[in-house]
Amino acid sequence: MNNLSSLCNSTMKLPSRVLTLRNASVVEFRHSYNTPCDQKLTCKSKASFSFNQNSQFHAYPSPFLAFQGVIYNTQKLNCLPSSSFGLHSTVSRPYGVPVEASPVETDKNPERLCVENCNDENIVGGEVPAAEYGNSRASHESEIDKEAWSLLRDAVVTYCGFPIGTVASNDPGDKHPLNYDQVFIRDFVPSALAFLLRGEGEIVKNFLLHTLQLQSTEKTVDCYSPGQGLMPVSFKVRTVPLGDNKFEEVIDPDFGGSAIGRVAPVDSGLWWIILLRAYGKISGDYTLQEREDFQAGIKMILNLCLADGFDMFPSLLVTDGSCMIDRKMGVHGHPLEIQALTYAALRCSREMLTVIGCSKNLMTAINNRLSALSFHIREYYWVDLRKTNEIYRYKTEEYSMDATNKFNIYPEQIPSWLIDWIPEDGGYLIGNLQPAHMDFRFFTLGNLWSLISSLATPKQNEAILKLIEAKWDDIVGHMPLKICYPALENEEWRIVTGSDPKNTPWSFHNGGSWPALLWQFTLACIKMGRIELAQKAVGLAEKKLSVDRWPEYYDTPSGKFVGKQSRLYQTWAIAGFLTSRMMLEKPDMASLLFWEEDNELLENCVCALTKGGRKICSRDVAKSQILV
């Protein structure tokens, strides 16, 4: 949007020590500013945290030395920061050279922010203020709950002695972990919620602090470098020798350069914003989101999402592999999952951003996109029996502003399975929409987040749950929940996936069942007052997950078999189960994580098309979408 061009220029100071792995034996300072803060960062064994000290932290050094001082140097942030932080940079913290440090405070000089003492209760390594609900531990935990918590704590990754995330998978029998031994932003969200709901927010705060420092802050034209504001898909803690028997821990981020397909993660920044809001809502600690560096981080992510381009739609244009489905599966273009997460992240940002100066223009851009995106998704992505019959009777090759078939959809695209599958009183949002193409597959994550964020209308929300209930055997089966339905098979599978042997029909991303989706289904059910559906799904997962050693996904149309290449002891399957259980126990806390219909958005023109003779959508049309 043009409003974004008015965002102010400013600079942000990066972490005092940044290590490039191109020359890992040499510590390179990658900033050009003088700073009064001590540049020697170190770990000192004086920390205490509630995680099991006997946990196995993979290849990370043990015992870990506690980190007593972290220094961040920043210049005052107005809108978007700019610096020399490059693609292959890694945030580093040395240990072995003891120094003392002092408390986090905003210096009297507004041009710098110094984080100095990790002993402070509200800083890295300190205990996050917990809400009342978190002070008491569950006194009647079942055996499966105890096992799940033990496994989740064993998956914790520490950095200089303090917890900063959980690995994707902690399978002791896995000899080739690939990147499953890394901390994924996407995967950590259910782990973070589990810890927050238990009143243990330290690890979440540390995660948010450190991932912010990994955010790419440099504008680049190199196609192999991340764009400004991009969050990494994952990171790994490594130890680097410095000589003289000294070592340094570094955080090595992956912006997609090592991923299959070399695709940058679109959803990482969106999940990060959603988690930042959840941290404040559940813990009651809003100091992070109010900090200038966090405000700048949010704005950079929004700049990526709201940037002008050639696209005519308010939905975000992305490529295959840029979200949870990180392989070629025909979700390039405008997949529902990304639109729903974008909508949720925009609503989070509108709550958290401080509206001063140039932020007013950004807030206008957010409101305009929210309004246009909600209309676009509600109107053009929705299918039920009535809408399917309407598409069946579409005229094609229409050329006018008044065309009914605006995207030139050919009725022959309606798949044969859909007619008998869709229930009388249910409906859902299709997976993708592009010119002359509608992807009629049901994608669970996108539909659930459309419900959670109120991207869909209240009546559409009800219809989505009715469809899941009516098609329980197809979408839930023996293990909640199908990532998409139906699977691509035969020639369609070969063409769309490129004959991907991991995405064979009813496996992995191609119709596999993912326990990690359980917590989002639970949250959606709580919002809609259908707790019995969530309890039924959690009960199914409880019967199998522990027995099957917490698999990553399940295969077959009913989700009966453990996935043929499924990792065991998958952390977000474990955390998703625990989060679902705690949400059902404390629905009042779960209610902090979803959104109701925002009537203010409906007061705006939902299309904002005022040029070239295009018709402006009236407020009545906008409001009528509630009744769809």
Side-chain angles (χ1 to χ4, degrees):
M1 292 189 175
N2 294 333
N3 289 329
L4 291 177
S5 61
S6 62
L7 294 177
C8 305
N9 293 323
S10 62
T11 55
M12 180 177 78
K13 188 72 72 175
L14 289 166
S16 295
R17 296 178 64 83
V18 178
L19 179 69
T20 174
L21 288 183
R22 292 170 181 166
N23 187 2
S25 61
V26 179
V27 176
E28 178 184 357
F29 293 91
R30 298 291 298 276
H31 62 79
S32 57
Y33 308 108
N34 294 323
T35 171
C37 297
D38 186 0
Q39 291 177 336
K40 278 283 186 182
L41 306 178
T42 188
C43 305
K44 186 177 179 182
S45 57
K46 207 185 197 176
S48 62
F49 51 93
S50 59
F51 296 93
N52 182 1
Q53 297 289 348
N54 296 321
S55 299
Q56 297 299 314
F57 294 109
H58 316 285
Y60 311 131
S62 179
F64 294 98
L65 298 175
F67 180 53
Q68 279 292 311
V70 179
I71 301 173
Y72 300 103
N73 301 302
T74 66
Q75 288 195 341
K76 186 175 181 180
L77 304 172
N78 296 317
C79 285
L80 294 181
S82 148
S83 77
S84 59
F85 195 45
L87 169 65
H88 299 288
S89 300
T90 59
V91 177
S92 65
R93 299 289 182 268
Y95 59 91
V97 185
V99 296
E100 294 296 336
S102 36
V104 163
E105 62 182 30
T106 303
D107 193 80
K108 294 180 181 178
N109 178 0
E111 294 301 312
R112 68 181 180 88
L113 183 68
C114 221
V115 178
E116 297 177 342
N117 188 359
C118 297
N119 284 328
D120 187 275
E121 287 185 351
N122 298 314
I123 324 301
V124 180
E127 196 57 45
V128 175
E132 261 181 43
Y133 69 90
N135 294 329
S136 59
R137 298 293 181 261
S139 56
H140 302 291
E141 283 185 342
S142 65
E143 289 303 314
I144 188 173
D145 288 337
K146 292 177 181 178
E147 178 192 358
W149 272 111
S150 175
L151 291 170
L152 183 59
R153 295 189 190 282
D154 284 347
V156 168
V157 172
T158 66
Y159 178 50
C160 295
F162 290 104
I164 63 166
T166 52
V167 292
S169 173
N170 195 14
D171 182 0
D174 189 358
K175 304 303 181 184
H176 303 285
L178 300 178
N179 59 350
Y180 281 80
D181 61 351
Q182 298 187 21
V183 181
F184 283 74
I185 290 183
R186 177 193 313 124
D187 294 31
F188 179 68
V189 172
S191 296
L193 293 177
F195 285 119
L196 285 171
L197 290 171
R198 199 175 172 88
E200 301 173 13
E202 173 193 350
I203 185 173
V204 185
K205 186 170 188 177
N206 292 343
F207 174 86
L208 291 167
L209 283 162
H210 285 88
T211 48
L212 177 64
Q213 301 305 316
L214 298 176
Q215 185 181 34
S216 175
T217 59
E218 183 184 29
K219 290 183 178 179
T220 64
V221 294
D222 180 2
C223 63
Y224 294 107
S225 297
Q228 186 182 36
L230 186 69
M231 282 289 187
V233 63
S234 63
F235 65 84
K236 184 171 183 175
V237 177
R238 303 181 187 274
T239 56
V240 178
L242 296 177
D244 298 328
N245 292 323
K246 294 179 181 177
F247 298 85
E248 184 171 45
E249 280 189 327
V250 300
I251 298 179
D252 182 12
D254 177 16
F255 289 91
S258 301
I260 294 174
R262 303 302 188 263
V263 176
V266 175
D267 62 342
S268 290
L270 306 176
W271 280 117
W272 187 87
I273 290 176
I274 292 169
L275 180 58
L276 178 60
R277 173 189 179 267
Y279 170 78
K281 286 283 187 180
I282 296 177
S283 72
D285 176 15
Y286 294 95
T287 57
L288 280 191
Q289 65 189 49
E290 293 169 356
R291 281 173 46 158
E292 291 179 347
D293 50 350
F294 275 78
Q295 291 280 309
I298 295 171
K299 290 168 185 175
M300 283 196 293
I301 295 170
L302 296 181
N303 188 33
L304 281 176
C305 297
L306 302 176
D308 287 329
F310 291 100
D311 202 7
M312 295 286 288
F313 309 147
S315 46
L316 195 60
L317 179 65
V318 299
T319 188
D320 251 342
S322 59
C323 52
M324 177 183 173
I325 297 177
D326 56 5
R327 300 167 77 94
K328 180 174 169 59
M329 269 290 293
V331 296
H332 58 280
H334 306 85
L336 177 64
E337 175 180 332
I338 292 297
Q339 314 317 317
L341 290 175
T342 298
Y343 190 83
L346 289 174
R347 293 199 67 171
C348 290
S349 301
R350 195 169 63 155
E351 292 180 29
M352 296 187 293
L353 281 175
T354 303
V355 184
I356 53 172
C358 58
S359 293
K360 296 178 181 178
N361 293 328
L362 180 58
M363 195 62 70
T364 299
I366 291 172
N367 287 329
N368 287 343
R369 182 61 64 90
L370 283 169
S371 179
L373 183 59
S374 63
F375 175 81
H376 184 78
I377 298 297
R378 293 173 176 192
E379 178 70 13
Y380 302 121
Y381 277 62
W382 181 254
V383 291
D384 52 17
L385 276 181
R386 181 190 63 81
K387 184 63 177 289
T388 306
N389 193 35
E390 179 184 317
I391 297 170
Y392 180 73
R393 293 171 54 82
Y394 267 168
K395 295 179 181 178
T396 58
E397 318 304 330
E398 294 181 288
Y399 182 82
S400 74
M401 304 305 285
D402 299 322
T404 301
N405 187 0
K406 293 180 173 60
F407 300 96
N408 201 38
I409 303 299
Y410 296 97
E412 289 77 11
Q413 290 185 30
I414 299 176
S416 58
W417 61 266
L418 179 63
I419 308 303
D420 295 326
W421 188 75
I422 194 166
E424 290 282 347
D425 57 350
Y428 66 100
L429 296 165
I430 62 171
N432 211 337
L433 175 66
Q434 298 184 74
H437 173 69
M438 294 182 77
D439 187 345
F440 286 93
R441 285 177 293 173
F442 174 87
F443 285 86
T444 303
L445 185 62
N447 275 275
L448 291 179
W449 271 96
S450 296
L451 191 160
I452 291 167
S453 66
S454 286
L455 172 58
T457 70
K459 286 197 172 183
Q460 288 172 349
N461 290 340
E462 292 178 8
I464 290 171
L465 277 191
K466 285 180 179 179
L467 178 135
I468 294 175
E469 184 177 21
K471 298 300 174 181
W472 187 267
D473 291 341
D474 293 332
I475 299 173
V476 180
H478 288 83
M479 175 55 62
L481 291 136
K482 278 276 178 290
I483 192 170
C484 67
Y485 182 91
L488 300 173
E489 299 184 279
N490 305 319
E491 193 64 24
E492 189 179 20
W493 164 75
R494 283 188 284 272
I495 293 172
V496 174
T497 73
S499 301
D500 186 348
K502 194 167 185 178
N503 272 329
T504 52
W506 306 108
S507 180
F508 202 50
H509 297 138
N510 190 15
S513 298
W514 291 71
L517 296 171
L518 182 61
W519 72 270
Q520 288 143 118
F521 178 66
T522 302
L523 184 58
C525 290
I526 291 173
K527 176 181 176 179
M528 301 305 297
R530 300 296 309 274
I531 293 181
E532 74 282 359
L533 286 181
Q535 290 172 332
K536 183 179 178 182
V538 171
L540 287 173
E542 184 176 7
K543 291 178 182 177
K544 293 190 66 177
L545 280 177
S546 177
V547 174
D548 294 338
R549 294 176 293 172
W550 307 92
E552 178 184 14
Y553 64 92
Y554 285 76
D555 285 354
T556 74
S558 63
K560 183 174 287 188
F561 291 168
V562 173
K564 62 179 181 292
Q565 295 188 44
S566 176
R567 265 25 185 222
L568 303 179
Y569 301 103
Q570 188 78 11
T571 304
W572 68 343
I574 297 167
F577 174 78
L578 287 172
T579 299
S580 296
R581 295 271 277 210
M582 286 187 285
M583 283 181 176
L584 290 174
E585 292 173 2
K586 303 179 184 296
D588 55 325
M589 299 308 302
S591 67
L592 299 174
L593 301 176
F594 56 70
W595 295 262
E596 299 296 346
E597 181 73 71
D598 187 342
N599 292 318
E600 287 184 15
L601 290 175
L602 301 178
E603 293 295 330
N604 298 328
C605 168
V606 293
C607 286
L609 301 177
T610 60
K611 298 179 182 179
R614 302 179 186 181
K615 292 185 177 181
I616 302 175
C617 295
S618 67
R619 292 182 179 182
D620 291 337
V621 172
K623 292 178 181 178
S624 72
Q625 296 305 306
I626 293 183
L627 304 177
V628 170

